């Protein structure tokens, strides 16, 4: 078993594992490249942003999204690993949702891609279930005391995504323009979407 | 197990990181690490829950030495357990890749676990009805887990309210140890922050997904 006293440089460990697995035909360069390209180029927060922009501009879609997140997100073609069952949480002026995985770093890959550093960091995982208002303020999101905070800890295979509030001043924006405003951080619930 | 991974409510980790729009992989090795972990369950003949449990068993100093570090070591532990690689092999190969001429230890004999699976994914239908309904008050278990569990420490021995019945799923606590998929009903359970952290807690509500075996009716 790996010993805590003998730290191996992780990049070197990866190279060693990859070479051992490759020579036994258990992994190959093409598969590795395909995986990396997929999560660098095709699967990321731009997918979730399309879902949000659609929900902001199409009330019927929004209703379907809140009733059955998996199906409504699937309508836009987004599905796959870490998105087996999606639940969408709607932020309002009165209620603010924020999502975490305290036990690992579960995250809705099909709509948000792979999690950012701050989401995987012990400070976020440990604190947001204990002092969310303080954590959000540290991120720069000051919520009025009247806003109720609801924290979701993703401990099963259900994946949560936040539907942020549409910013004021975007009444004439197109769906495409709106999707360009939506950030990953807003869809986890640690930021607001702001108008340009 | 009550490991370093079970971080909810721990104190001392300092400020949260800045919200940077970092790419998925800061360096090429991280991308390769991701793929090795993503394929580790398949290569080792195991499953997602066993992979998570392997990451939870990464020694705390290594666990805290970066996400892709713990992810890679977790993948290695998972493959060690199935006799795909040994730590000695990995270290010898790492030394050789660094230009040191060390002997390569022998390959292990693979011994993958045998656990029947009802199919792809984690959602399973159940014939039995759920024991709890939306609105029910439930009390969480007083666990002393020797193995894998998805009931975090901070949510044990607490009373909350069922707010949704979620899809029934493979039970991580048994699947991670290859005892069986053992699907269970799963619930969104909401807790008042004061129930979790005492009377001086920030006011908020916390929802966590909990499997039926973790729950009993609240008195």
């Amino acid at each position: 078993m790996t010993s805590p006293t003998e730290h191996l440089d992780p990049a070197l460990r990866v190279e060693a594992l990859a070479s051992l697995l490759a020579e036994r035909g258990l992994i190959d360069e093409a598969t590795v490249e395909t995986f990396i390209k997929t999560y660098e180029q095709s699967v990321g927060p731009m997918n979730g942003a399309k879902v949000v922009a659609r929900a902001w501009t199409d009330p019927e879609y929004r209703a379907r999204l809140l009733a059955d997140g998996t199906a409504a997100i699937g309508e836009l073609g987004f599905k796959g690993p870490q998105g087996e069952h999606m639940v969408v949480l709607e932020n309002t002026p009165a209620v603010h949702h924020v999502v975490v995985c305290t036990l690992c770093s579960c995250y809705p890959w099909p709509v948000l891609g792979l999690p950012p550093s701050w989401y995987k960091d012990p400070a976020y995982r440990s604190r947001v279930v204990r002092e969310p208002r303080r954590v959000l303020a540290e991120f720069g999101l000051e919520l009025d005391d009247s806003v109720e905070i609801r924290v979701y800890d993703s401990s099963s295979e259900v994946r949560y995504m936040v539907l942020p509030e549409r910013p004021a001043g975007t009444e004439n924006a197109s769906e495409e323009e709106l999707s360009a405003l939506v950030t990953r951080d807003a869809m986890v619930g640690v930021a607001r979407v702001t108008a340009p | 197990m009550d490991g370093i991974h079970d971080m909810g409510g721990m104190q001392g980790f300092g400020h949260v990181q800045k919200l940077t729009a970092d790419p998925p992989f800061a360096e090429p090795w991280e991308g390769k690490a991701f793929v090795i972990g993503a394929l580790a369950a398949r290569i080792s003949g195991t499953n997602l829950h066993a992979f998570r449990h392997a990451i939870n068993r990464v020694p705390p100093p290594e666990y805290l030495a970066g996400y892709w570090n713990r992810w890679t070591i977790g993948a290695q532990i998972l493959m060690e357990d199935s006799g795909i690689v040994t730590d000695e092999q990995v270290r010898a190969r790492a030394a050789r890749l660094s230009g040191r001429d060390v002997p390569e230890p022998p390959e292990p004999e693979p011994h993958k676990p045998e656990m029947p699976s009802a199919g792809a994914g984690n959602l399973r239908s159940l014939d039995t009805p759920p024991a709890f309904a939306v609105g029910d008050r439930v009390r969480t278990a007083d666990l002393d887990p020797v193995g894998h569990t998805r009931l975090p420490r901070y949510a044990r021995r607490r009373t909350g309210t069922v707010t949704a019945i979620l899809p029934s799923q493979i039970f991580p606590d048994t699947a991670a140890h290859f005892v069986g998929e053992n699907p269970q009903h799963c619930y969104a359970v909401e807790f008042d922050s004061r129930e979790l952290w005492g009377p001086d807690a920030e006011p908020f509500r916390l929802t966590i997904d909990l499997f039926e075996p973790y729950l009993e009716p609240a008195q």
Side-chain angles (χ1 to χ4, degrees), chain A residues 93-96 133 141-149 192, chain B residues 203:
Chain A
V95 178
H96 184 91
R133 194 172 292 270
L141 178 58
E142 302 271 0
L143 293 175
D144 192 90
D145 283 346
S146 65
V147 177
E148 186 193 324
I149 297 180
R192 281 198 188 91

Side-chain angles (χ1 to χ4, degrees), chain A residues 89 97-100 129 149-155 160, chain B residues 154-155 161-164 166 187-192 196 204-210:
Chain A
L89 308 166
H97 298 88
V98 57
V99 181
V100 66
V129 294
I149 297 180
R150 294 187 189 168
V151 181
Y152 276 70
D153 189 356
S154 319
S155 47
Y160 295 97
Chain B
Y154 79 85
T161 305
V162 172
T163 55
L166 302 170
Y187 306 87
V189 181
E190 184 183 85
F191 298 90
D192 187 292
L196 301 174
F204 67 96
R205 293 195 235 175
L206 179 130
T207 299
I208 180 167
D209 306 343
L210 297 175

Side-chain angles (χ1 to χ4, degrees), chain A residues 1-21 23-24 26-27 29 31-33 35-37 39-40 43 82 84-85 87 101-106 109 114-135 138-140 148-160 184-185 190-191, chain B residues 5-11 13-22 24-25 29 31-36 38-39 43 48-49 52 56-57 59 61-65 67-73 76-77 79-80 83-85 87 89-91 93-94 97-98 107-108 110 121-123 149-152 154 166-167 169 186 188 197 202-209 211:
Chain A
M1 176 78 70
T2 310
S3 157
T5 56
E6 302 168 53
H7 181 74
L8 190 60
D9 174 64
L12 188 55
R13 184 190 297 278
V14 166
E15 270 320 304
L17 275 169
S19 92
L20 287 166
L21 296 172
E23 68 190 24
R24 292 171 42 199
L26 296 171
I27 197 168
E29 202 59 39
T31 308
V32 172
E33 286 307 311
F35 261 86
I36 291 174
K37 272 216 174 69
Y39 285 92
E40 277 184 339
V43 182
Q82 298 299 307
E84 275 187 86
H85 185 86
V87 171
C101 169
T102 61
L103 291 172
C104 41
S105 297
C106 294
W109 292 6
L114 300 182
S117 291
W118 60 262
Y119 184 87
K120 302 178 286 193
D121 186 55
Y124 181 70
R125 288 168 52 192
S126 62
R127 292 179 56 203
V128 79
V129 294
R130 185 161 180 158
E131 44 179 4
R133 194 172 292 270
R134 205 165 300 165
V135 166
E138 242 173 68
F139 279 133
E148 186 193 324
I149 297 180
R150 294 187 189 168
V151 181
Y152 276 70
D153 189 356
S154 319
S155 47
S156 80
E157 292 312 306
V158 174
R159 293 290 169 269
Y160 295 97
R184 154 168 71 194
D185 305 334
V190 299
Chain B
H5 67 284
D6 188 354
M7 292 184 164
M10 279 177 74
Q11 295 174 308
F13 285 115
H15 275 245
V16 290
Q17 290 182 0
K18 285 208 166 63
L19 297 177
T20 50
D22 45 348
F25 312 117
W29 72 266
K32 205 174 263 190
F34 166 64
V35 182
I36 290 173
L39 295 176
I43 290 172
L48 174 67
H49 309 285
R52 289 205 184 109
N56 298 350
R57 287 182 287 145
E62 292 283 13
Y63 189 98
L64 295 173
Y67 179 76
W68 294 114
N69 186 63
R70 63 177 170 266
W71 172 276
T72 306
I73 297 177
Q76 183 182 321
I77 291 173
M79 293 189 284
E80 285 175 25
I84 306 296
V85 294
D87 193 48
Q89 262 190 312
V90 173
R91 286 176 185 279
R93 182 59 58 95
L97 288 169
S98 309
E107 267 185 27
N122 289 280
L123 310 185
T149 185
R150 296 294 283 182
L151 175 58
Y154 79 85
L166 302 170
Q169 308 173 31
C186 187
W197 308 114
E202 273 187 20
F204 67 96
R205 293 195 235 175
L206 179 130
T207 299
I208 180 167
D209 306 343
F211 293 89

